[in-house]
Amino acid sequence: MIVFDRKTNCFFLHGKSFSCVLWIDPNGYLTDLHFGGRVGEDDLRAFDMRTRPVSFAPTPPDSDHWFSLDIAAQEYGSYGQGDFRAPSVIIERQDGSRASRFHYAGHRIYAGVPALGGLPCARKGKETLEITLRDVLSDAEIVLNYSLFEDSDVIARNAVIRNRGKDPIFLPRAYSFCLDLEEGGYDAVCLQGRHCAERMPERTPLGHGAYSVSSSRGASSHQMNPFLALLSKDADEDRGEAVGALLVYSGSFLLSAETSQTGSVRLQGGINDLGFRAKLEGGEEFITPQALLCRTEGGIGQLSREYADFLRGYILPPAYVHAPRPVVVNNWEATYFDFNREKLCALADRAAELGIDTLVLDDGWFGKRNDDTSGLGDWFVNEKKLSGGLAPIVDHCREKGLKFGLWFEPEMISEDSDLYRVHPDWAIGKAPRCTGRNQLVLDMTRKEIVDHVFSRMADILGRYGVSYVKWDMNRHITEFFSAELPADRQGEFAHRYILGVYSLADRLTKAFPQVFFEGCSGGGGRFDAGMLYYFPQFWTSDDTDAFERVKIQWGTSYCYPLSAMSCHVSVCPNHQTGRTTPFFTRGAIASLGAFGYELDLGALTEEEKAAVRAQIAAYRESEPLVQSGDLYRISDPFKGNRFCVAVVSKEKSRAIVVGMQIHAVPADTDHRIRLKGLDAGKRYLVEELGYAARGDTLMNAGLLLPRLPDFGCFVWHLKEA
Ligand code: GLA
């Protein structure tokens, strides 16, 4: 609920369990009085202390109410008027002056959510508060959007900056949101990583000064996810205050938490301002990406469940969120580039026998591509490699009752490609350019290039009745330069690039609503809420080792739903680590996401084939939980010798518990797994143990951990008895 109180000039935004109170102070500044648990609307004296005068007020003061920008909790930090913390926006005028003083100019409250001009954002919502601020010192205007959602502790925010004058202005910085938290004393939690080890949680105490996480790679990146949480010192998995910021954005980003002289913390961010500089001609506006802020008092676990519900309810493509996902076999780890029609048809035969429903043909089916040095951009079937083209393979799949999927890397171009020979200027940057994985990047800021890629992909998808696309992106951007942009707009390149990617994804998913799209970026290098708006799932990591996946999936679940994580059973010794884990373990861990296979099915033993059939049947049974249930993280694989999670249905009538013993321990004593998230009063049958107990017993006394070998897994299915 959003309320504006005219008597006090306060806005009250009430979520499921939080309240946000904003105040237009007598000078006209928009300040933050409260972001925390619920508060009443008549109890404003509780916030009186925020109006104490200190120093650095405009001279002469705008009113006799003294106010200091140096310490005030601002809704959007300005620059050059006495707020010495990092500003949220910098407005640069033609004469080079950059100070701005934003005052409240009006507001409106309306049902629903704003559209953000080509940026992915919440598809629907309950109501939105739109506050307009005007710069006393320039012609800039800022619109701050705050949207609330039914039964949710997420608040969606962004800022729109407008130039109401005639002369151009420049924005060397334009963040999406700013949240000044008065008390401070938090730890920051980020998801850092690298290729094959994405989204590893890291908790760092905040000291004075700024802590920030960012990507300057033109993609949200493997190295840092666009997510930052602040946890009170006493907060853990299940308890304590957690404030999260998750960007619905896939490009270079920055999120920072700055502890001020008073100990307050300014959490803010959006587009990374490294290399960024947007130009606004008179009448133009710049729309910043949406940030999803969330506050809970149930620790990082509750924060994760709030984000999972939110992404499923408001961001992911609605038609696919709860629909059964295709169980695929992908040929990448089975063949890499070394395949032909016979090998693929044999893989399809085995897949059909085992109950797999889709064959996904990965990299190497197009252009002249037998390794990663050539062919990107030439989205024509390589008939030399696949005699007779794709049609016989697709037909063969169809005869066997299988669907067919294809890999694309739409944003890329190889120097050794027909496309590059005709259009060398379509690559971004200036020669000599940096290659990454031997490839260059297409200039997705240019409409004719996006149109070309669309028409090539649309031709292939339509011609072969493709039902699944794996959209990859295997290198980061080094030269942020487009030959078509004027010099004073090159600072917009990175953002325009990602807008081009979004427009292509939007057009393709709308033109082919029956095609299931999976995102990928050298594994999980662009696993973010922006991409999940178009693609219901994302390839979680190129590391398919079950133990590594336990860690990667654990971290990913901090702010993304399980069903967004694409997870495959692969061969052992594992191709990334050389490690051998039990086949059962690989299935159990992959079943905690969108499930599939990535190995040579022809090389399976009879026992493994039987296991595949059983795994698929088990996955189909637990799929509704993976798609819609609540995740409870029980044993942290980063902290101990065990991993365990429970996924509980919303009505708490079913649950699945999956655990792993990382290393076997000789002469170990008994350990218990205390379950979480059950209904204390309900009785549950633990099917595998043939044992029934009340929810509170299972949560407080727990269940004995089975004795298991290295990387051994257990799976328990609980049903209300
Ligand atoms: C990336 C993907 C892999 C595979 C290869 C193909 O690394 O993450 O799954 O598709 O590209 O080149």
Side-chain angles (χ1 to χ4, degrees):
M1 190 180 46
I2 303 175
V3 177
F4 178 61
D5 180 354
R6 275 184 200 290
K7 286 198 305 292
T8 56
N9 274 338
C10 279
F11 297 98
F12 294 84
L13 297 99
H14 300 298
K16 184 171 59 177
S17 62
F18 76 86
S19 291
C20 172
V21 187
L22 314 179
W23 180 46
I24 310 161
D25 99 307
N27 297 294
Y29 293 103
L30 185 67
T31 60
D32 182 318
L33 287 190
H34 175 78
F35 185 71
R38 292 286 291 236
V39 296
E41 285 150 35
D42 299 321
D43 310 322
L44 280 179
R45 280 192 68 97
F47 307 117
D48 269 0
M49 56 181 300
R50 285 292 183 96
T51 63
R52 272 184 316 186
V54 187
S55 55
F56 293 113
T59 311
D62 294 335
S63 81
D64 51 13
H65 166 84
W66 265 52
F67 168 85
S68 170
L69 282 173
D70 202 7
I71 58 161
Q74 290 212 68
E75 272 306 291
Y76 202 61
S78 58
Y79 183 62
Q81 290 284 286
D83 182 350
F84 296 97
R85 292 159 292 184
S88 313
V89 65
I90 301 175
I91 312 276
E92 191 181 300
R93 304 195 280 284
Q94 273 204 312
D95 63 2
S97 59
R98 285 168 297 176
S100 47
R101 188 190 308 168
F102 283 98
H103 282 179
Y104 168 85
H107 76 269
R108 103 187 150 100
I109 297 169
Y110 60 90
V113 291
L116 301 184
L119 279 164
C121 56
R123 294 169 191 273
K124 56 182 182 178
K126 207 160 68 173
E127 51 183 341
T128 296
L129 166 64
E130 177 195 282
I131 303 180
T132 303
L133 308 176
R134 283 214 183 111
D135 191 0
V136 176
L137 309 175
S138 77
D139 291 318
E141 178 177 279
I142 296 174
V143 172
L144 300 177
N145 290 312
Y146 302 79
S147 300
L148 294 183
F149 304 86
E150 210 64 62
D151 199 27
S152 173
D153 274 330
V154 168
I155 178 166
R157 291 189 51 181
N158 90 314
V160 179
I161 296 118
R162 292 190 185 129
N163 180 2
R164 300 178 69 243
K166 290 202 181 64
D167 295 335
I169 56 173
F170 292 90
L171 305 175
R173 170 177 297 178
Y175 286 160
S176 297
F177 76 99
C178 167
L179 177 65
D180 276 344
L181 296 158
E182 188 183 33
E183 287 304 326
Y186 293 102
D187 288 349
V189 175
C190 74
L191 298 174
Q192 59 80 31
R194 58 180 188 277
H195 178 233
C196 283
E198 297 88 340
R199 292 171 298 284
M200 303 281 149
E202 186 175 79
R203 183 168 178 161
T204 311
L206 289 181
H208 282 86
Y211 168 94
S212 69
V213 298
S214 65
S215 160
S216 55
R217 297 166 177 266
S220 50
S221 87
H222 308 79
Q223 286 72 13
M224 198 58 86
N225 200 259
F227 165 75
L228 183 62
L230 302 181
L231 261 55
S232 59
K233 292 284 175 205
D234 60 349
D236 58 18
E237 184 61 36
D238 303 307
R239 274 163 294 272
E241 186 189 6
V243 176
L246 176 65
L247 296 176
V248 189
Y249 194 56
S250 314
S252 299
F253 73 92
L254 182 139
L255 287 164
S256 77
E258 180 182 0
T259 304
S260 77
Q261 56 183 333
T262 65
S264 69
V265 172
R266 171 168 290 182
L267 175 65
Q268 63 178 349
I271 294 175
N272 191 340
D273 46 6
L274 179 63
F276 172 80
R277 191 164 185 264
K279 180 182 185 185
L280 290 186
E281 294 283 3
E284 279 189 335
E285 64 179 22
F286 186 82
I287 305 175
T288 65
Q290 192 164 63
L292 306 174
L293 303 188
C294 179
R295 181 187 184 277
T296 80
E297 286 176 14
I300 189 90
Q302 183 58 24
L303 191 81
S304 305
R305 289 185 286 278
E306 286 293 330
Y307 275 128
D309 280 344
F310 188 86
L311 295 183
R312 292 187 291 219
Y314 300 98
I315 298 286
L316 267 66
Y320 290 104
V321 180
H322 300 292
R325 299 286 169 85
V327 172
V328 308
V329 61
N330 177 301
N331 74 307
W332 181 241
E333 285 198 23
T335 66
Y336 294 102
F337 289 106
D338 182 19
F339 57 82
N340 55 28
R341 177 171 152 188
E342 290 67 39
K343 277 194 190 177
L344 294 174
C345 288
L347 192 59
D349 291 345
R350 298 292 86 74
E353 281 164 26
L354 296 174
I356 289 168
D357 37 66
T358 304
L359 171 74
V360 178
L361 175 52
D362 211 279
D363 194 354
W365 58 268
F366 52 88
K368 275 203 281 11
R369 186 150 167 105
N370 295 310
D371 55 35
D372 63 14
T373 60
S374 61
L376 291 171
D378 294 342
W379 303 112
F380 297 91
V381 179
N382 181 346
E383 306 227 352
K384 207 160 153 214
K385 186 165 178 176
L386 297 172
S387 56
L390 271 186
I393 300 165
V394 180
D395 290 346
H396 187 83
C397 285
R398 218 163 269 141
E399 278 159 28
K400 297 281 170 182
L402 283 182
K403 291 185 172 167
F404 183 74
L406 267 186
W407 179 97
F408 289 89
E409 201 178 353
E411 301 151 64
M412 298 294 152
I413 180 166
S414 304
E415 277 172 302
D416 183 3
S417 69
D418 291 340
L419 187 67
Y420 187 80
R421 282 181 277 276
V422 180
H423 294 294
D425 62 309
W426 280 18
I428 66 163
K430 283 182 164 189
R433 299 177 174 96
C434 267
T435 54
R437 207 197 186 198
N438 307 303
Q439 65 204 48
L440 301 176
V441 185
L442 280 174
D443 186 349
M444 300 295 283
T445 71
R446 287 167 63 178
K447 183 162 182 313
E448 74 272 28
I449 297 179
V450 173
D451 287 347
H452 169 83
V453 181
F454 174 84
S455 71
R456 284 313 317 135
M457 289 180 73
D459 175 62
I460 298 278
L461 299 188
R463 190 184 295 259
Y464 299 104
V466 172
S467 73
Y468 188 106
V469 165
K470 179 178 172 189
W471 176 317
D472 211 338
M473 193 269 189
N474 274 321
R475 67 157 285 187
H476 290 144
I477 298 177
T478 41
E479 299 97 329
F480 292 88
F481 179 83
S482 166
E484 292 291 303
L485 280 176
D488 61 1
R489 289 210 183 258
Q490 292 293 342
E492 298 169 16
F493 176 86
H495 183 59
R496 285 175 179 261
Y497 175 91
I498 210 71
L499 288 178
V501 173
Y502 289 148
S503 78
L504 181 60
D506 189 54
R507 282 170 68 183
L508 280 166
T509 50
K510 282 188 177 137
F512 296 92
Q514 73 287 7
V515 175
F516 187 91
F517 282 77
E518 169 173 295
C520 177
S521 177
R526 207 162 55 180
F527 198 124
D528 57 63
M531 283 291 132
L532 291 175
Y533 180 88
Y534 305 98
F535 310 149
Q537 66 191 43
F538 211 94
W539 182 228
T540 315
S541 177
D542 273 348
D543 196 334
T544 55
D545 174 287
F547 172 53
E548 296 305 314
R549 274 306 188 98
V550 152
K551 294 184 279 182
I552 295 166
Q553 293 170 210
W554 178 277
T556 306
S557 75
Y558 270 35
C559 54
Y560 301 106
L562 294 182
S563 61
M565 301 181 213
S566 175
C567 304
H568 294 172
V569 173
S570 64
V571 76
C572 278
N574 177 268
H575 288 191
Q576 292 77 39
T577 60
R579 187 181 283 133
T580 294
T581 54
F583 201 80
F584 179 78
T585 289
R586 285 175 263 158
I589 301 306
S591 300
L592 287 169
F595 185 71
Y597 291 85
E598 178 131 357
L599 42 67
D600 179 5
L601 297 171
L604 295 179
T605 63
E606 286 309 314
E607 203 185 327
E608 285 169 337
K609 283 184 192 163
V612 168
R613 289 193 188 92
Q615 283 171 347
I616 295 173
Y619 171 70
R620 285 296 184 211
E621 222 198 300
S622 62
E623 192 175 24
L625 284 174
V626 169
Q627 288 186 328
S628 318
D630 286 327
L631 176 75
Y632 290 84
R633 288 180 294 258
I634 297 174
S635 301
D636 184 342
F638 294 93
K639 292 191 178 145
N641 194 17
R642 221 164 284 135
F643 156 83
C644 184
V645 296
V647 193
V648 183
S649 65
K650 287 283 177 200
E651 54 301 341
K652 298 195 182 288
S653 58
R654 284 184 68 193
I656 178 170
V657 181
V658 178
M660 177 193 276
Q661 174 77 32
I662 298 170
H663 291 122
V665 180
D668 200 10
T669 52
D670 287 340
H671 295 286
R672 287 171 177 279
I673 296 278
R674 292 184 174 80
L675 303 188
K676 292 180 186 175
L678 303 176
D679 182 326
K682 280 186 176 157
R683 260 189 108 65
Y684 296 91
L685 172 67
V686 187
E687 289 181 343
E688 285 74 5
L689 306 180
Y691 166 74
R694 238 174 37 194
D696 52 4
T697 312
L698 293 169
M699 292 191 288
N700 297 322
L703 290 166
L704 275 187
L705 179 76
R707 294 277 157 82
L708 291 164
D710 284 2
F711 311 112
C713 259
F714 62 91
V715 178
W716 295 325
H717 291 86
L718 275 70
K719 288 215 173 91
E720 195 178 342

